[in-house]
Amino acid sequence: MILELDCGNSFIKWRVISAVDASIIAGGIADSDQDLLAAVVASHGEIRLRGCRLVSVRSEEETIHLSALLRATFGVSAQVATPAQELAGVRNGYEDYQRLGMDRWLAILGGFHLAGRACLVIDFGTAAKADFVAANGDHLGGYICPGMPLMRSQLRTHTRRIRYDDASAERAHVSLAPGRSTVEAVERGCVMMLQGFARSQLAQARELWGDNFTVFLTGGDAPLAKEAVAQGRVVPDLVFVGLALACPMN
């Protein structure tokens, strides 16, 4: 079995897959390193890992610390995905390729691998990110703007009267009709901004490639934007697709 980790700023997404056919055996989201170790152990009892690969946007010190915990707990050395100018047929489009976020880079690799042609990858996480990859594998660049968590947090932080819980926020998403409460107005307004971001990326992709491209939607809030990009293919684990390409285990 192989443990795969996507270590973000807020939490760690993890899954255990079969080393034979890459089928998913277990997975989840952890808030801390210790929660991660406990969850992996609880998911499969005496789990025996063949290997581990991870992508991290955390500091080098935090990543080294987690790698040491994984080695001590499971006896495996984690392969950590690193920046590359070219990989799996994709050429990094940043002027300084090492400055492209690893989560974006792996999602780009995963999207192009699955599409086999020009593709638009839109990731709806803490930040909303869009990246364009031409049919020849050239990464043309992309865009970043606040995602739902950041928009919501900023409104709650800077507007004293905006206070509501996560359950109320989820209920507000049943419709995009004009809000009749603060939670509805905020949540639906943020969703509409996400959808507007998605539509603008789609329009730009059409200007570049006509209809000859694939759209991938990934990240936790991808379902909220699906209505705006009907042809979009929702792939929650797109980063893990790219991670397998960056850190193969034969």
PDB file of all heavy atoms in Angstrom, residues 138-176:
ATOM      1  N   ASP A 138       2.591  23.040 -23.301  1.00  0.00           N
ATOM      2  CA  ASP A 138       3.071  24.315 -22.770  1.00  0.00           C
ATOM      3  C   ASP A 138       2.083  24.870 -21.743  1.00  0.00           C
ATOM      4  O   ASP A 138       0.899  25.075 -22.051  1.00  0.00           O
ATOM      5  CB  ASP A 138       3.243  25.342 -23.895  1.00  0.00           C
ATOM      6  CG  ASP A 138       4.488  25.112 -24.715  1.00  0.00           C
ATOM      7  OD1 ASP A 138       5.371  24.353 -24.266  1.00  0.00           O
ATOM      8  OD2 ASP A 138       4.579  25.683 -25.818  1.00  0.00           O
ATOM      9  N   HIS A 139       2.575  25.103 -20.534  1.00  0.00           N
ATOM     10  CA  HIS A 139       1.762  25.772 -19.517  1.00  0.00           C
ATOM     11  C   HIS A 139       1.804  27.264 -19.821  1.00  0.00           C
ATOM     12  O   HIS A 139       2.870  27.884 -19.822  1.00  0.00           O
ATOM     13  CB  HIS A 139       2.336  25.473 -18.123  1.00  0.00           C
ATOM     14  CG  HIS A 139       1.724  26.287 -17.026  1.00  0.00           C
ATOM     15  ND1 HIS A 139       2.472  26.925 -16.064  1.00  0.00           N
ATOM     16  CD2 HIS A 139       0.422  26.568 -16.751  1.00  0.00           C
ATOM     17  CE1 HIS A 139       1.664  27.564 -15.237  1.00  0.00           C
ATOM     18  NE2 HIS A 139       0.424  27.366 -15.634  1.00  0.00           N
ATOM     19  N   LEU A 140       0.653  27.847 -20.095  1.00  0.00           N
ATOM     20  CA  LEU A 140       0.572  29.236 -20.528  1.00  0.00           C
ATOM     21  C   LEU A 140       0.472  30.222 -19.380  1.00  0.00           C
ATOM     22  O   LEU A 140       0.499  31.432 -19.597  1.00  0.00           O
ATOM     23  CB  LEU A 140      -0.635  29.408 -21.466  1.00  0.00           C
ATOM     24  CG  LEU A 140      -0.691  28.464 -22.677  1.00  0.00           C
ATOM     25  CD1 LEU A 140      -1.912  28.773 -23.526  1.00  0.00           C
ATOM     26  CD2 LEU A 140       0.584  28.555 -23.505  1.00  0.00           C
ATOM     27  N   GLY A 141       0.347  29.708 -18.159  1.00  0.00           N
ATOM     28  CA  GLY A 141       0.183  30.575 -17.004  1.00  0.00           C
ATOM     29  C   GLY A 141      -1.217  30.441 -16.429  1.00  0.00           C
ATOM     30  O   GLY A 141      -1.983  29.554 -16.807  1.00  0.00           O
ATOM     31  N   GLY A 142      -1.550  31.329 -15.510  1.00  0.00           N
ATOM     32  CA  GLY A 142      -2.861  31.207 -14.885  1.00  0.00           C
ATOM     33  C   GLY A 142      -3.223  32.397 -14.026  1.00  0.00           C
ATOM     34  O   GLY A 142      -2.614  33.470 -14.114  1.00  0.00           O
ATOM     35  N   TYR A 143      -4.222  32.203 -13.180  1.00  0.00           N
ATOM     36  CA  TYR A 143      -4.764  33.259 -12.334  1.00  0.00           C
ATOM     37  C   TYR A 143      -5.013  32.717 -10.924  1.00  0.00           C
ATOM     38  O   TYR A 143      -5.298  31.536 -10.738  1.00  0.00           O
ATOM     39  CB  TYR A 143      -6.096  33.781 -12.897  1.00  0.00           C
ATOM     40  CG  TYR A 143      -5.979  34.363 -14.286  1.00  0.00           C
ATOM     41  CD1 TYR A 143      -6.198  33.574 -15.414  1.00  0.00           C
ATOM     42  CD2 TYR A 143      -5.649  35.705 -14.470  1.00  0.00           C
ATOM     43  CE1 TYR A 143      -6.091  34.111 -16.694  1.00  0.00           C
ATOM     44  CE2 TYR A 143      -5.540  36.248 -15.748  1.00  0.00           C
ATOM     45  CZ  TYR A 143      -5.763  35.442 -16.850  1.00  0.00           C
ATOM     46  OH  TYR A 143      -5.655  35.968 -18.110  1.00  0.00           O
ATOM     47  N   ILE A 144      -4.914  33.621  -9.951  1.00  0.00           N
ATOM     48  CA  ILE A 144      -5.212  33.275  -8.556  1.00  0.00           C
ATOM     49  C   ILE A 144      -6.081  34.376  -7.965  1.00  0.00           C
ATOM     50  O   ILE A 144      -5.807  35.569  -8.164  1.00  0.00           O
ATOM     51  CB  ILE A 144      -3.930  33.152  -7.714  1.00  0.00           C
ATOM     52  CG1 ILE A 144      -2.970  32.111  -8.316  1.00  0.00           C
ATOM     53  CG2 ILE A 144      -4.265  32.772  -6.265  1.00  0.00           C
ATOM     54  CD1 ILE A 144      -1.613  32.074  -7.619  1.00  0.00           C
ATOM     55  N   CYS A 145      -7.120  33.964  -7.253  1.00  0.00           N
ATOM     56  CA  CYS A 145      -7.941  34.938  -6.525  1.00  0.00           C
ATOM     57  C   CYS A 145      -8.442  34.267  -5.248  1.00  0.00           C
ATOM     58  O   CYS A 145      -8.289  33.049  -5.082  1.00  0.00           O
ATOM     59  CB  CYS A 145      -9.091  35.437  -7.395  1.00  0.00           C
ATOM     60  SG  CYS A 145     -10.417  34.241  -7.639  1.00  0.00           S
ATOM     61  N   PRO A 146      -9.036  35.006  -4.324  1.00  0.00           N
ATOM     62  CA  PRO A 146      -9.530  34.381  -3.090  1.00  0.00           C
ATOM     63  C   PRO A 146     -10.597  33.336  -3.384  1.00  0.00           C
ATOM     64  O   PRO A 146     -11.473  33.536  -4.230  1.00  0.00           O
ATOM     65  CB  PRO A 146     -10.116  35.566  -2.312  1.00  0.00           C
ATOM     66  CG  PRO A 146      -9.426  36.765  -2.859  1.00  0.00           C
ATOM     67  CD  PRO A 146      -9.199  36.469  -4.305  1.00  0.00           C
ATOM     68  N   GLY A 147     -10.528  32.221  -2.672  1.00  0.00           N
ATOM     69  CA  GLY A 147     -11.562  31.205  -2.755  1.00  0.00           C
ATOM     70  C   GLY A 147     -12.622  31.436  -1.690  1.00  0.00           C
ATOM     71  O   GLY A 147     -12.582  32.436  -0.959  1.00  0.00           O
ATOM     72  N   MET A 148     -13.557  30.518  -1.589  1.00  0.00           N
ATOM     73  CA  MET A 148     -14.650  30.659  -0.615  1.00  0.00           C
ATOM     74  C   MET A 148     -14.139  30.868   0.810  1.00  0.00           C
ATOM     75  O   MET A 148     -14.602  31.770   1.509  1.00  0.00           O
ATOM     76  CB  MET A 148     -15.566  29.440  -0.672  1.00  0.00           C
ATOM     77  CG  MET A 148     -16.541  29.431  -1.832  1.00  0.00           C
ATOM     78  SD  MET A 148     -17.849  30.687  -1.703  1.00  0.00           S
ATOM     79  CE  MET A 148     -18.810  30.058  -0.322  1.00  0.00           C
ATOM     80  N   PRO A 149     -13.183  30.048   1.300  1.00  0.00           N
ATOM     81  CA  PRO A 149     -12.728  30.247   2.684  1.00  0.00           C
ATOM     82  C   PRO A 149     -12.146  31.632   2.935  1.00  0.00           C
ATOM     83  O   PRO A 149     -12.404  32.244   3.976  1.00  0.00           O
ATOM     84  CB  PRO A 149     -11.667  29.153   2.849  1.00  0.00           C
ATOM     85  CG  PRO A 149     -12.029  28.104   1.862  1.00  0.00           C
ATOM     86  CD  PRO A 149     -12.559  28.866   0.685  1.00  0.00           C
ATOM     87  N   LEU A 150     -11.371  32.150   1.981  1.00  0.00           N
ATOM     88  CA  LEU A 150     -10.772  33.468   2.168  1.00  0.00           C
ATOM     89  C   LEU A 150     -11.815  34.577   2.092  1.00  0.00           C
ATOM     90  O   LEU A 150     -11.791  35.516   2.897  1.00  0.00           O
ATOM     91  CB  LEU A 150      -9.688  33.706   1.114  1.00  0.00           C
ATOM     92  CG  LEU A 150      -8.354  33.002   1.335  1.00  0.00           C
ATOM     93  CD1 LEU A 150      -7.407  33.281   0.178  1.00  0.00           C
ATOM     94  CD2 LEU A 150      -7.724  33.448   2.654  1.00  0.00           C
ATOM     95  N   MET A 151     -12.730  34.486   1.129  1.00  0.00           N
ATOM     96  CA  MET A 151     -13.768  35.509   1.022  1.00  0.00           C
ATOM     97  C   MET A 151     -14.635  35.533   2.278  1.00  0.00           C
ATOM     98  O   MET A 151     -14.922  36.598   2.842  1.00  0.00           O
ATOM     99  CB  MET A 151     -14.633  35.258  -0.219  1.00  0.00           C
ATOM    100  CG  MET A 151     -13.946  35.552  -1.533  1.00  0.00           C
ATOM    101  SD  MET A 151     -15.070  35.545  -2.958  1.00  0.00           S
ATOM    102  CE  MET A 151     -15.314  33.785  -3.191  1.00  0.00           C
ATOM    103  N   ARG A 152     -15.029  34.356   2.704  1.00  0.00           N
ATOM    104  CA  ARG A 152     -15.859  34.256   3.908  1.00  0.00           C
ATOM    105  C   ARG A 152     -15.129  34.793   5.131  1.00  0.00           C
ATOM    106  O   ARG A 152     -15.680  35.556   5.940  1.00  0.00           O
ATOM    107  CB  ARG A 152     -16.241  32.788   4.118  1.00  0.00           C
ATOM    108  CG  ARG A 152     -17.174  32.530   5.279  1.00  0.00           C
ATOM    109  CD  ARG A 152     -17.368  31.037   5.462  1.00  0.00           C
ATOM    110  NE  ARG A 152     -18.081  30.419   4.370  1.00  0.00           N
ATOM    111  CZ  ARG A 152     -17.626  29.361   3.690  1.00  0.00           C
ATOM    112  NH1 ARG A 152     -16.441  28.853   3.957  1.00  0.00           N
ATOM    113  NH2 ARG A 152     -18.346  28.843   2.716  1.00  0.00           N
ATOM    114  N   SER A 153     -13.863  34.423   5.266  1.00  0.00           N
ATOM    115  CA  SER A 153     -13.069  34.855   6.417  1.00  0.00           C
ATOM    116  C   SER A 153     -12.894  36.363   6.447  1.00  0.00           C
ATOM    117  O   SER A 153     -13.006  36.990   7.510  1.00  0.00           O
ATOM    118  CB  SER A 153     -11.697  34.168   6.370  1.00  0.00           C
ATOM    119  OG  SER A 153     -10.854  34.657   7.390  1.00  0.00           O
ATOM    120  N   GLN A 154     -12.628  36.956   5.293  1.00  0.00           N
ATOM    121  CA  GLN A 154     -12.439  38.400   5.247  1.00  0.00           C
ATOM    122  C   GLN A 154     -13.717  39.148   5.627  1.00  0.00           C
ATOM    123  O   GLN A 154     -13.667  40.150   6.356  1.00  0.00           O
ATOM    124  CB  GLN A 154     -11.985  38.826   3.845  1.00  0.00           C
ATOM    125  CG  GLN A 154     -10.542  38.467   3.548  1.00  0.00           C
ATOM    126  CD  GLN A 154      -9.572  39.178   4.483  1.00  0.00           C
ATOM    127  OE1 GLN A 154      -9.542  40.412   4.547  1.00  0.00           O
ATOM    128  NE2 GLN A 154      -8.796  38.412   5.225  1.00  0.00           N
ATOM    129  N   LEU A 155     -14.839  38.662   5.153  1.00  0.00           N
ATOM    130  CA  LEU A 155     -16.098  39.328   5.500  1.00  0.00           C
ATOM    131  C   LEU A 155     -16.412  39.187   6.986  1.00  0.00           C
ATOM    132  O   LEU A 155     -16.871  40.132   7.630  1.00  0.00           O
ATOM    133  CB  LEU A 155     -17.238  38.747   4.651  1.00  0.00           C
ATOM    134  CG  LEU A 155     -17.264  39.215   3.197  1.00  0.00           C
ATOM    135  CD1 LEU A 155     -18.222  38.362   2.374  1.00  0.00           C
ATOM    136  CD2 LEU A 155     -17.679  40.685   3.126  1.00  0.00           C
ATOM    137  N   ARG A 156     -16.141  38.005   7.525  1.00  0.00           N
ATOM    138  CA  ARG A 156     -16.394  37.798   8.954  1.00  0.00           C
ATOM    139  C   ARG A 156     -15.438  38.631   9.805  1.00  0.00           C
ATOM    140  O   ARG A 156     -15.811  39.158  10.853  1.00  0.00           O
ATOM    141  CB  ARG A 156     -16.224  36.321   9.307  1.00  0.00           C
ATOM    142  CG  ARG A 156     -17.365  35.433   8.847  1.00  0.00           C
ATOM    143  CD  ARG A 156     -17.051  33.973   9.155  1.00  0.00           C
ATOM    144  NE  ARG A 156     -18.192  33.115   8.947  1.00  0.00           N
ATOM    145  CZ  ARG A 156     -18.158  31.790   9.067  1.00  0.00           C
ATOM    146  NH1 ARG A 156     -17.026  31.185   9.372  1.00  0.00           N
ATOM    147  NH2 ARG A 156     -19.241  31.062   8.875  1.00  0.00           N
ATOM    148  N   THR A 157     -14.200  38.755   9.347  1.00  0.00           N
ATOM    149  CA  THR A 157     -13.188  39.465  10.121  1.00  0.00           C
ATOM    150  C   THR A 157     -13.411  40.970  10.116  1.00  0.00           C
ATOM    151  O   THR A 157     -13.255  41.645  11.138  1.00  0.00           O
ATOM    152  CB  THR A 157     -11.773  39.162   9.574  1.00  0.00           C
ATOM    153  OG1 THR A 157     -11.536  37.756   9.651  1.00  0.00           O
ATOM    154  CG2 THR A 157     -10.703  39.897  10.363  1.00  0.00           C
ATOM    155  N   HIS A 158     -13.798  41.515   8.972  1.00  0.00           N
ATOM    156  CA  HIS A 158     -13.859  42.968   8.822  1.00  0.00           C
ATOM    157  C   HIS A 158     -15.265  43.547   8.919  1.00  0.00           C
ATOM    158  O   HIS A 158     -15.434  44.755   8.807  1.00  0.00           O
ATOM    159  CB  HIS A 158     -13.219  43.367   7.489  1.00  0.00           C
ATOM    160  CG  HIS A 158     -11.755  43.030   7.423  1.00  0.00           C
ATOM    161  ND1 HIS A 158     -10.804  43.738   8.110  1.00  0.00           N
ATOM    162  CD2 HIS A 158     -11.086  42.049   6.761  1.00  0.00           C
ATOM    163  CE1 HIS A 158      -9.607  43.220   7.881  1.00  0.00           C
ATOM    164  NE2 HIS A 158      -9.745  42.198   7.059  1.00  0.00           N
ATOM    165  N   THR A 159     -16.258  42.693   9.092  1.00  0.00           N
ATOM    166  CA  THR A 159     -17.635  43.171   9.242  1.00  0.00           C
ATOM    167  C   THR A 159     -18.215  42.573  10.521  1.00  0.00           C
ATOM    168  O   THR A 159     -18.518  41.386  10.582  1.00  0.00           O
ATOM    169  CB  THR A 159     -18.502  42.764   8.030  1.00  0.00           C
ATOM    170  OG1 THR A 159     -17.824  43.174   6.832  1.00  0.00           O
ATOM    171  CG2 THR A 159     -19.857  43.420   8.096  1.00  0.00           C
ATOM    172  N   ARG A 160     -18.375  43.387  11.537  1.00  0.00           N
ATOM    173  CA  ARG A 160     -18.723  42.888  12.862  1.00  0.00           C
ATOM    174  C   ARG A 160     -20.041  42.126  12.910  1.00  0.00           C
ATOM    175  O   ARG A 160     -20.211  41.192  13.676  1.00  0.00           O
ATOM    176  CB  ARG A 160     -18.784  44.054  13.858  1.00  0.00           C
ATOM    177  CG  ARG A 160     -17.428  44.675  14.141  1.00  0.00           C
ATOM    178  CD  ARG A 160     -17.544  45.735  15.219  1.00  0.00           C
ATOM    179  NE  ARG A 160     -16.249  46.322  15.518  1.00  0.00           N
ATOM    180  CZ  ARG A 160     -16.060  47.247  16.458  1.00  0.00           C
ATOM    181  NH1 ARG A 160     -17.104  47.683  17.167  1.00  0.00           N
ATOM    182  NH2 ARG A 160     -14.867  47.728  16.677  1.00  0.00           N
ATOM    183  N   ARG A 161     -20.993  42.527  12.100  1.00  0.00           N
ATOM    184  CA  ARG A 161     -22.321  41.931  12.197  1.00  0.00           C
ATOM    185  C   ARG A 161     -22.459  40.618  11.423  1.00  0.00           C
ATOM    186  O   ARG A 161     -23.512  39.994  11.451  1.00  0.00           O
ATOM    187  CB  ARG A 161     -23.376  42.938  11.710  1.00  0.00           C
ATOM    188  CG  ARG A 161     -23.535  44.133  12.631  1.00  0.00           C
ATOM    189  CD  ARG A 161     -24.612  45.072  12.140  1.00  0.00           C
ATOM    190  NE  ARG A 161     -24.783  46.210  13.023  1.00  0.00           N
ATOM    191  CZ  ARG A 161     -25.568  46.221  14.090  1.00  0.00           C
ATOM    192  NH1 ARG A 161     -26.275  45.151  14.401  1.00  0.00           N
ATOM    193  NH2 ARG A 161     -25.674  47.302  14.836  1.00  0.00           N
ATOM    194  N   ILE A 162     -21.402  40.230  10.717  1.00  0.00           N
ATOM    195  CA  ILE A 162     -21.476  38.962   9.967  1.00  0.00           C
ATOM    196  C   ILE A 162     -20.962  37.834  10.860  1.00  0.00           C
ATOM    197  O   ILE A 162     -19.756  37.683  11.064  1.00  0.00           O
ATOM    198  CB  ILE A 162     -20.668  39.043   8.656  1.00  0.00           C
ATOM    199  CG1 ILE A 162     -21.313  40.064   7.724  1.00  0.00           C
ATOM    200  CG2 ILE A 162     -20.577  37.680   7.986  1.00  0.00           C
ATOM    201  CD1 ILE A 162     -20.610  40.223   6.404  1.00  0.00           C
ATOM    202  N   ARG A 163     -21.869  37.089  11.417  1.00  0.00           N
ATOM    203  CA  ARG A 163     -21.526  35.969  12.287  1.00  0.00           C
ATOM    204  C   ARG A 163     -22.499  34.820  12.011  1.00  0.00           C
ATOM    205  O   ARG A 163     -23.707  34.972  12.142  1.00  0.00           O
ATOM    206  CB  ARG A 163     -21.629  36.367  13.771  1.00  0.00           C
ATOM    207  CG  ARG A 163     -20.644  37.442  14.207  1.00  0.00           C
ATOM    208  CD  ARG A 163     -19.211  36.905  14.267  1.00  0.00           C
ATOM    209  NE  ARG A 163     -18.282  37.889  14.775  1.00  0.00           N
ATOM    210  CZ  ARG A 163     -17.666  38.809  14.040  1.00  0.00           C
ATOM    211  NH1 ARG A 163     -17.921  38.857  12.727  1.00  0.00           N
ATOM    212  NH2 ARG A 163     -16.827  39.665  14.571  1.00  0.00           N
ATOM    213  N   TYR A 164     -21.982  33.667  11.614  1.00  0.00           N
ATOM    214  CA  TYR A 164     -22.831  32.498  11.424  1.00  0.00           C
ATOM    215  C   TYR A 164     -21.953  31.257  11.417  1.00  0.00           C
ATOM    216  O   TYR A 164     -20.737  31.335  11.223  1.00  0.00           O
ATOM    217  CB  TYR A 164     -23.648  32.602  10.133  1.00  0.00           C
ATOM    218  CG  TYR A 164     -22.841  32.842   8.876  1.00  0.00           C
ATOM    219  CD1 TYR A 164     -22.248  31.788   8.181  1.00  0.00           C
ATOM    220  CD2 TYR A 164     -22.693  34.132   8.358  1.00  0.00           C
ATOM    221  CE1 TYR A 164     -21.523  32.014   7.027  1.00  0.00           C
ATOM    222  CE2 TYR A 164     -21.973  34.358   7.204  1.00  0.00           C
ATOM    223  CZ  TYR A 164     -21.386  33.292   6.534  1.00  0.00           C
ATOM    224  OH  TYR A 164     -20.666  33.511   5.389  1.00  0.00           O
ATOM    225  N   ASP A 165     -22.562  30.100  11.617  1.00  0.00           N
ATOM    226  CA  ASP A 165     -21.785  28.864  11.700  1.00  0.00           C
ATOM    227  C   ASP A 165     -21.749  28.142  10.353  1.00  0.00           C
ATOM    228  O   ASP A 165     -22.418  28.534   9.389  1.00  0.00           O
ATOM    229  CB  ASP A 165     -22.335  27.934  12.796  1.00  0.00           C
ATOM    230  CG  ASP A 165     -23.810  27.604  12.588  1.00  0.00           C
ATOM    231  OD1 ASP A 165     -24.274  27.637  11.427  1.00  0.00           O
ATOM    232  OD2 ASP A 165     -24.492  27.299  13.584  1.00  0.00           O
ATOM    233  N   ASP A 166     -20.949  27.072  10.295  1.00  0.00           N
ATOM    234  CA  ASP A 166     -20.764  26.338   9.044  1.00  0.00           C
ATOM    235  C   ASP A 166     -22.045  25.657   8.572  1.00  0.00           C
ATOM    236  O   ASP A 166     -22.293  25.546   7.380  1.00  0.00           O
ATOM    237  CB  ASP A 166     -19.654  25.297   9.203  1.00  0.00           C
ATOM    238  CG  ASP A 166     -18.288  25.949   9.373  1.00  0.00           C
ATOM    239  OD1 ASP A 166     -18.142  27.125   8.993  1.00  0.00           O
ATOM    240  OD2 ASP A 166     -17.373  25.286   9.893  1.00  0.00           O
ATOM    241  N   ALA A 167     -22.846  25.193   9.518  1.00  0.00           N
ATOM    242  CA  ALA A 167     -24.099  24.526   9.144  1.00  0.00           C
ATOM    243  C   ALA A 167     -25.035  25.507   8.438  1.00  0.00           C
ATOM    244  O   ALA A 167     -25.688  25.164   7.441  1.00  0.00           O
ATOM    245  CB  ALA A 167     -24.777  23.937  10.378  1.00  0.00           C
ATOM    246  N   SER A 168     -25.103  26.732   8.940  1.00  0.00           N
ATOM    247  CA  SER A 168     -25.936  27.752   8.307  1.00  0.00           C
ATOM    248  C   SER A 168     -25.410  28.086   6.915  1.00  0.00           C
ATOM    249  O   SER A 168     -26.186  28.291   5.978  1.00  0.00           O
ATOM    250  CB  SER A 168     -25.963  29.022   9.163  1.00  0.00           C
ATOM    251  OG  SER A 168     -26.519  28.774  10.441  1.00  0.00           O
ATOM    252  N   ALA A 169     -24.089  28.108   6.779  1.00  0.00           N
ATOM    253  CA  ALA A 169     -23.487  28.387   5.476  1.00  0.00           C
ATOM    254  C   ALA A 169     -23.860  27.316   4.465  1.00  0.00           C
ATOM    255  O   ALA A 169     -24.224  27.619   3.317  1.00  0.00           O
ATOM    256  CB  ALA A 169     -21.972  28.472   5.620  1.00  0.00           C
ATOM    257  N   GLU A 170     -23.816  26.073   4.886  1.00  0.00           N
ATOM    258  CA  GLU A 170     -24.143  24.974   3.963  1.00  0.00           C
ATOM    259  C   GLU A 170     -25.599  25.034   3.534  1.00  0.00           C
ATOM    260  O   GLU A 170     -25.920  24.813   2.360  1.00  0.00           O
ATOM    261  CB  GLU A 170     -23.829  23.632   4.628  1.00  0.00           C
ATOM    262  CG  GLU A 170     -23.980  22.442   3.706  1.00  0.00           C
ATOM    263  CD  GLU A 170     -23.478  21.155   4.315  1.00  0.00           C
ATOM    264  OE1 GLU A 170     -22.776  21.223   5.338  1.00  0.00           O
ATOM    265  OE2 GLU A 170     -23.785  20.085   3.765  1.00  0.00           O
ATOM    266  N   ARG A 171     -26.492  25.352   4.470  1.00  0.00           N
ATOM    267  CA  ARG A 171     -27.914  25.449   4.126  1.00  0.00           C
ATOM    268  C   ARG A 171     -28.172  26.573   3.136  1.00  0.00           C
ATOM    269  O   ARG A 171     -29.076  26.489   2.300  1.00  0.00           O
ATOM    270  CB  ARG A 171     -28.749  25.666   5.398  1.00  0.00           C
ATOM    271  CG  ARG A 171     -28.860  24.432   6.288  1.00  0.00           C
ATOM    272  CD  ARG A 171     -29.962  24.618   7.326  1.00  0.00           C
ATOM    273  NE  ARG A 171     -29.681  25.713   8.229  1.00  0.00           N
ATOM    274  CZ  ARG A 171     -28.999  25.586   9.380  1.00  0.00           C
ATOM    275  NH1 ARG A 171     -28.517  24.394   9.724  1.00  0.00           N
ATOM    276  NH2 ARG A 171     -28.802  26.631  10.164  1.00  0.00           N
ATOM    277  N   ALA A 172     -27.361  27.616   3.203  1.00  0.00           N
ATOM    278  CA  ALA A 172     -27.550  28.758   2.305  1.00  0.00           C
ATOM    279  C   ALA A 172     -27.271  28.409   0.854  1.00  0.00           C
ATOM    280  O   ALA A 172     -27.708  29.112  -0.057  1.00  0.00           O
ATOM    281  CB  ALA A 172     -26.655  29.918   2.741  1.00  0.00           C
ATOM    282  N   HIS A 173     -26.561  27.304   0.612  1.00  0.00           N
ATOM    283  CA  HIS A 173     -26.158  26.949  -0.754  1.00  0.00           C
ATOM    284  C   HIS A 173     -27.233  26.219  -1.547  1.00  0.00           C
ATOM    285  O   HIS A 173     -27.000  25.834  -2.694  1.00  0.00           O
ATOM    286  CB  HIS A 173     -24.891  26.084  -0.711  1.00  0.00           C
ATOM    287  CG  HIS A 173     -23.699  26.812  -0.177  1.00  0.00           C
ATOM    288  ND1 HIS A 173     -22.587  26.165   0.334  1.00  0.00           N
ATOM    289  CD2 HIS A 173     -23.447  28.141  -0.055  1.00  0.00           C
ATOM    290  CE1 HIS A 173     -21.714  27.057   0.741  1.00  0.00           C
ATOM    291  NE2 HIS A 173     -22.205  28.260   0.519  1.00  0.00           N
ATOM    292  N   VAL A 174     -28.413  26.019  -0.955  1.00  0.00           N
ATOM    293  CA  VAL A 174     -29.468  25.295  -1.672  1.00  0.00           C
ATOM    294  C   VAL A 174     -30.026  26.119  -2.826  1.00  0.00           C
ATOM    295  O   VAL A 174     -30.704  25.596  -3.709  1.00  0.00           O
ATOM    296  CB  VAL A 174     -30.618  24.897  -0.721  1.00  0.00           C
ATOM    297  CG1 VAL A 174     -30.100  23.973   0.380  1.00  0.00           C
ATOM    298  CG2 VAL A 174     -31.286  26.130  -0.122  1.00  0.00           C
ATOM    299  N   SER A 175     -29.749  27.411  -2.831  1.00  0.00           N
ATOM    300  CA  SER A 175     -30.284  28.294  -3.871  1.00  0.00           C
ATOM    301  C   SER A 175     -29.322  29.460  -4.065  1.00  0.00           C
ATOM    302  O   SER A 175     -28.490  29.745  -3.196  1.00  0.00           O
ATOM    303  CB  SER A 175     -31.662  28.820  -3.455  1.00  0.00           C
ATOM    304  OG  SER A 175     -32.060  29.903  -4.272  1.00  0.00           O
ATOM    305  N   LEU A 176     -29.438  30.121  -5.222  1.00  0.00           N
ATOM    306  CA  LEU A 176     -28.690  31.356  -5.442  1.00  0.00           C
ATOM    307  C   LEU A 176     -29.640  32.550  -5.576  1.00  0.00           C
ATOM    308  O   LEU A 176     -29.260  33.604  -6.104  1.00  0.00           O
ATOM    309  CB  LEU A 176     -27.821  31.232  -6.700  1.00  0.00           C
ATOM    310  CG  LEU A 176     -26.584  30.342  -6.580  1.00  0.00           C
ATOM    311  CD1 LEU A 176     -25.781  30.361  -7.866  1.00  0.00           C
ATOM    312  CD2 LEU A 176     -25.702  30.777  -5.405  1.00  0.00           C
TER     313      LEU A 176
END
